Amino acid sequence: MRTQVGIIGSGPSGLLLARLLHLQGIDTVILESHSRDYVLGRIRAGVIEQGMADLLREAKAGERMDKEGLIHEGINIAFDDRLERIDFPKHTDGKVVMVYGQTEITYDLMKAHIDEAGGKVYYDTPVIGVEGYDTDSPKIIYEQNGQRQELVCDFVAGCDGYHGVSRKSIPADKISLFERTYPFGWLGILSDVPPVNEELIYANHPRGFALCSMRSHTRSRYYVQCELDDKVENWTDDAFWDELRRRLPPRVADSMKTGPRLEMSIAPLRSFVAEPMRFGRLFLAGDSAHIVPPTGAKGLNLAASDIYYLSRAFIAYYKEKRTDLLDRYSETALRRVWKAIRFSWWYTSLMHKFDDDMMTSRLQIAELDYLVNSDAALTTLSENYVGLPYEKFE
Ligand code: FAD
Ligand code: DHB
């Protein structure tokens, strides 16, 4: 098989890239190791920045998001028996975020790209590796029905997530990896109950962090900080709801509606960056190049900013024979990646219980008290939360 841009992975990065390139007449093939239903069944991110929402509109996959997505103009932070609201438009010249699940975004992109435009996406087709990334015709080696096959491309986009093979196809001496793990995880529940509050609540509590989020007016997504080695099997629905309520201000806990789980899962927390994000004709984008801890909801949004830069670089190459944007992709994407890595690390450090050392928790409370009383600090949090602007890239 041959294509212009071979894409590994049909998560949000791969699908969004394929869709944006397709609209410009550029040929792509996506190879995905799992089934379409499996990819759609993964419950992940829920908050999207304006930059990502605009990119989904540009991809002509934003119609349902604009109808069903919830505009959020702020978040709430609970700490030290207080509940404080942070107003985004006030601190960012009118910016807001949108609550619309990654599952819905993936569904909308699949519908537009595969069902309506006939885009080529092969499921249950695991990629084994990338060969010749430093030649003019790199190859993606994959398996289909037990047979080894090759996809010859002009370029390869590694959109295959943290555990993918594209990053691992690069010799160790050509890539720098930066990593920090955290000594806890997040236990999440998805349930068809109305959200406890119209806006998200992030709670710093002596028992550990908690987050009240949502997917719609009738579907809630809640998280509690848990031990790294904890298992979903250790938690009944009732045990989860009890623990969540204990970590919230009493008037919030009292109005919590509970119900059976649609899904429950544990996610580890990690900060990770691979540099550079381009190796000859292989380009990494999204989770294959970087991971943030979920606090602040930056993971999916970073995938979108990578694809913003990468799609423009490919379009400039095919439409105008320009290679300068391809050359600038890695450094430009990484500037924004590192800022999100910094914000997620800071927000994670501020909101979680690290150990039983009271010094750490007193410092957190002092910083939170400072934060909610300082216009400068509120501006810093708000402009990072709504999303730092994309750099001019043309
Ligand atoms: P992915 O969505 O991981 O997609 C990569 C795709 O590549 C997958 O479909 C995978 O099956 C495929 N693939 C992998 N290896 C191969 C191979 N060898 N061959 C072919 N295909 C392959 N972000 C937030 O902002 N907020 C959140 O609340 C949040 N929660 C999360 C919870 C979990 C459990 C995880 C794992 C992530 C979470 N994230 C969250 C992060 C966010 O979901 C990711 O940043 C986002 O999915 C990145 O998209 P992606 O397309 O780059 O990677
Ligand atoms: C969600 C996850 C986050 O990490 C976050 O900061 C906000 C919302 C969510 O899954 O809804």
Side-chain angles (χ1 to χ4, degrees), residues 345-394:
W345 158 79
W346 168 79
Y347 199 29
T348 300
S349 310
L350 181 65
M351 297 304 292
H352 289 75
K353 178 178 169 148
F354 273 77
D355 44 39
D356 288 325
D357 174 14
M358 288 309 290
M359 181 79 187
T360 311
S361 67
R362 287 289 199 283
L363 286 170
Q364 289 177 336
I365 300 301
E367 183 165 355
L368 284 162
D369 190 21
Y370 165 72
L371 169 74
V372 299
N373 285 296
S374 157
D375 264 339
L378 287 168
T379 300
T380 300
L381 183 142
S382 301
E383 62 190 20
N384 278 279
Y385 196 100
V386 301
L388 297 175
Y390 295 178
E391 279 181 43
K392 193 167 156 208
F393 197 65
E394 51 190 41

Side-chain angles (χ1 to χ4, degrees), residues 162-163 179-182 268-272 291-294 341:
Y162 180 68
H163 299 287
E179 181 156 25
R180 172 160 302 178
T181 54
Y182 300 83
L269 274 69
R270 184 192 310 276
S271 300
F272 170 82
I291 296 287
V292 290
I341 291 273

Side-chain angles (χ1 to χ4, degrees), residues 218-246:
T218 56
R219 182 167 288 184
S220 297
R221 179 69 164 162
Y222 297 127
Y223 299 94
V224 292
Q225 176 181 349
C226 66
E227 298 292 328
L228 254 188
D229 57 359
D230 210 342
K231 299 262 175 305
V232 168
E233 300 79 70
N234 297 339
W235 290 83
T236 61
D237 292 351
D238 285 345
F240 181 92
W241 295 115
D242 287 346
E243 188 56 38
L244 176 63
R245 276 187 295 235
R246 279 192 203 110

Side-chain angles (χ1 to χ4, degrees), residues 7-15 30-35 38-39 42-48 102 106 122-123 125-129 140-142 158-166 186 211 213 215 221 223 263 265-268 285-304 306-307:
I7 300 175
I8 311 175
S10 93
S13 307
L15 285 166
I30 300 184
L31 303 172
E32 162 63 51
S33 55
H34 288 100
S35 69
Y38 178 91
V39 173
R42 290 185 301 216
I43 308 299
R44 291 183 170 179
V47 178
I48 62 175
Q102 178 167 336
T106 309
Y122 296 92
Y123 287 97
T125 302
V127 170
I128 301 159
I140 303 178
I141 314 298
Y142 63 98
C159 299
D160 48 350
Y162 180 68
H163 299 287
V165 294
S166 51
W186 277 21
L211 168 59
S213 181
R215 292 292 176 271
R221 179 69 164 162
Y223 299 94
E263 190 257 12
S265 55
I266 292 183
D287 278 16
S288 70
H290 41 72
I291 296 287
V292 290
T295 335
K298 290 291 152 228
L300 176 60
N301 290 298
L302 268 192
D306 289 353
I307 297 304

